[in-house]
Amino acid sequence: MPQQSPLDVPEGDPFGPHNLPYGVFSTAGEARRRIGVRIGGYVLDAGAAAAALGSPYAGLLGQPSLNPLLAAGRTAWHDVRRALTAWVTDPGHRPTLEPHLLPLEEVALHLPYEVADYVDFYASEHHATNVGKIFRPDGDALTPNWKHLPIGYHGRSGTIVVSGTDVVRPSGQRKAPTDPAPVFGPSVKLDIEAEVGFVVGAPSEMGSPVALADFEEHVFGLFLLNDWSARDIQAWEYVPLGPFLGKSFATSVSAWVTPLEALDAARVAPPAREFPLLPYLDDSAADRPGGFDLRITVSINGQEVATPPFASMYWTAAQQLAHMTVNGASLRTGDVYGSGTVSGPATDQRGSLLELTWNGRDSIELADGKRTFLEDGDTVTLTAWAPGAGDTRVGLGEVTGRIVGTR
């Protein structure tokens, strides 16, 4: 009986030829970083495969980072994806490709792009409402601007780390409302934020806003993102300028970037808007819906604690990009922006411990004990999938991180 090829991906595998996310890897025998494409349980050395097949895309794929491919623009993204799909689905290419396939467990995965700027948004109405109720129980849950513009802040790009990187518990100032003075020490309210990140490919000129309709000309793909948050540090420092040290210590991202083109079947309309939007944010006449139906699962120490639905996000990634540049701010290749915490209407759809425990009032039950916020040694994992063409599922690469004690 002939040996099965690694390219014979089982039916129903969320990382089949319909997906083909990009990453960067190295091996124990060769430290050089290379672009890889995930197919089933394997990584295709894309640059080596392109060179072996005499492809004109060997230069773009034979790089240590995705940045040159990102900068090449939408036409190149489409053409390279089309070529990769043909390579992995044409049996005639198997003798050439198979020597360049490596089992996932035999490679080390790295941050796949060089991050330029980082912006994080606050786009879930359910999350923002929960947070408002927690911190402003006697006032309006949403601030007056919330349904008129996507609220965001600039984060720290230098502390974006790839999935699997340990997260050191941050220290800082904290002061509870009843404390007479602030104290310094390790955060005691370390939290997660289940988010989706987007990476910019083609840059834009300073002074030239990016229109809603040009979202796909600039954004290459998306991935899962965990915006770790020290709630006690954040609560003391954020007035009046917003998040700072409570957020900047680490942001974890998946090692795999799913091209937007792989998610065509997952496009959905965002929730109905309560107020008319200003023209630069008005997507009512868009050619196709701006939301994405991504089904996220949050697990702590291997135990599922929440299933936030990305389809419920009030502000879309296209609106976030338009707002981020409407003042003339330029885009750079490698810019990353996060959706903000994804939360749904149900209790088990909340994407942060702040909401799941109502700021520590309640606890969640894990096999190894109760939790209100994260303890040292806890491992948080985000996974997700999206509906694909037919009955397929498009898998998103997981993002995981383990909390280690303050140094």
Side-chain angles (χ1 to χ4, degrees):
M1 183 176 178
Q3 185 176 5
Q4 186 178 31
S5 168
L7 294 171
D8 290 323
V9 179
E11 186 176 354
D13 191 309
F15 291 97
H18 61 290
N19 189 345
L20 302 180
Y22 294 88
V24 168
F25 74 97
S26 62
T27 63
E30 188 173 357
R32 177 176 62 91
R33 297 187 179 189
R34 292 161 276 171
I35 292 176
V37 173
R38 181 169 177 177
I39 176 78
Y42 288 79
V43 178
L44 175 66
D45 185 335
L53 289 167
S55 168
Y57 309 117
L60 282 178
L61 294 173
Q63 300 288 333
S65 164
L66 288 177
N67 283 57
L69 175 60
L70 300 182
R74 187 179 181 186
T75 298
W77 306 339
H78 173 76
D79 291 347
V80 170
R81 177 174 169 78
R82 183 174 57 184
L84 285 164
T85 303
W87 299 350
V88 300
T89 56
D90 184 346
H93 290 313
R94 288 188 173 185
T96 304
L97 292 186
E98 287 176 354
H100 303 296
L101 287 161
L102 300 95
L104 270 172
E105 61 270 16
E106 294 182 8
V107 305
L109 297 172
H110 305 282
L111 193 63
Y113 38 77
E114 298 166 21
V115 181
D117 290 314
Y118 171 49
V119 171
D120 193 36
F121 283 95
Y122 191 48
S124 164
E125 182 177 1
H126 301 292
H127 172 68
T129 299
N130 287 335
V131 172
K133 288 178 177 178
I134 290 170
F135 293 114
R136 295 184 299 275
D138 299 322
D140 293 333
L142 296 179
T143 53
N145 60 349
W146 200 91
K147 289 193 173 180
H148 294 278
L149 58 86
I151 295 173
Y153 70 93
H154 284 275
R156 190 173 184 87
S157 59
T159 51
I160 292 180
V161 296
V162 73
S163 175
T165 304
D166 285 346
V167 175
V168 177
R169 181 178 296 275
S171 291
Q173 284 196 32
R174 59 181 193 271
K175 181 185 178 298
T178 56
D179 291 341
V183 297
F184 181 87
S187 170
V188 297
K189 287 188 173 183
L190 186 55
D191 198 0
I192 64 172
E193 289 193 342
E195 301 193 23
V196 174
F198 296 83
V199 63
V200 169
S204 66
E205 291 185 8
M206 188 171 177
S208 299
V210 174
L212 276 173
D214 291 332
F215 166 69
E216 291 175 63
E217 298 296 326
H218 292 276
V219 174
F220 175 77
L222 58 76
F223 47 87
L224 292 174
L225 180 152
N226 186 350
D227 183 30
W228 307 92
S229 300
R231 299 300 185 186
D232 44 356
I233 297 173
Q234 180 183 0
W236 173 234
E237 73 176 2
Y238 85 105
V239 179
L241 293 182
F244 186 35
L245 302 182
K247 297 275 193 177
S248 62
F249 58 96
T251 301
S252 295
V253 298
S254 173
W256 299 103
V257 180
T258 302
L260 293 185
E261 200 170 346
L263 295 164
D264 283 345
R267 301 295 284 263
V268 292
R273 275 54 184 268
E274 185 176 343
F275 302 104
L277 298 177
L278 292 173
Y280 79 98
L281 291 172
D282 184 1
D283 59 358
S284 59
D287 291 339
R288 57 177 177 163
F292 291 92
D293 183 8
L294 310 178
R295 323 287 178 87
I296 303 170
T297 298
V298 181
S299 299
I300 300 177
N301 301 336
Q303 184 174 328
E304 180 181 308
V305 298
T307 54
F310 193 70
S312 67
M313 299 296 274
Y314 191 88
W315 296 105
T316 70
Q319 289 171 320
Q320 290 168 338
L321 190 75
H323 186 65
M324 188 163 62
T325 61
V326 73
N327 67 344
S330 58
L331 297 175
R332 294 193 291 168
T333 298
D335 279 355
V336 167
Y337 64 100
S339 63
T341 306
V342 183
S343 290
T347 302
D348 63 356
Q349 294 178 328
R350 296 171 177 173
S352 69
L353 291 173
L354 177 69
E355 298 166 87
L356 287 168
T357 71
W358 215 249
N359 198 25
R361 182 195 68 188
D362 309 319
S363 60
I364 58 173
E365 296 281 350
L366 298 181
D368 58 351
K370 295 181 179 181
R371 293 288 189 285
T372 52
F373 291 95
L374 297 174
E375 297 182 1
D376 291 351
D378 283 347
T379 296
V380 179
T381 302
L382 310 182
T383 57
W385 62 274
D391 294 325
T392 61
R393 289 187 175 191
V394 178
L396 272 64
E398 72 171 29
V399 57
T400 187
R402 180 174 65 100
I403 303 301
V404 298
T406 301
R407 292 173 182 167

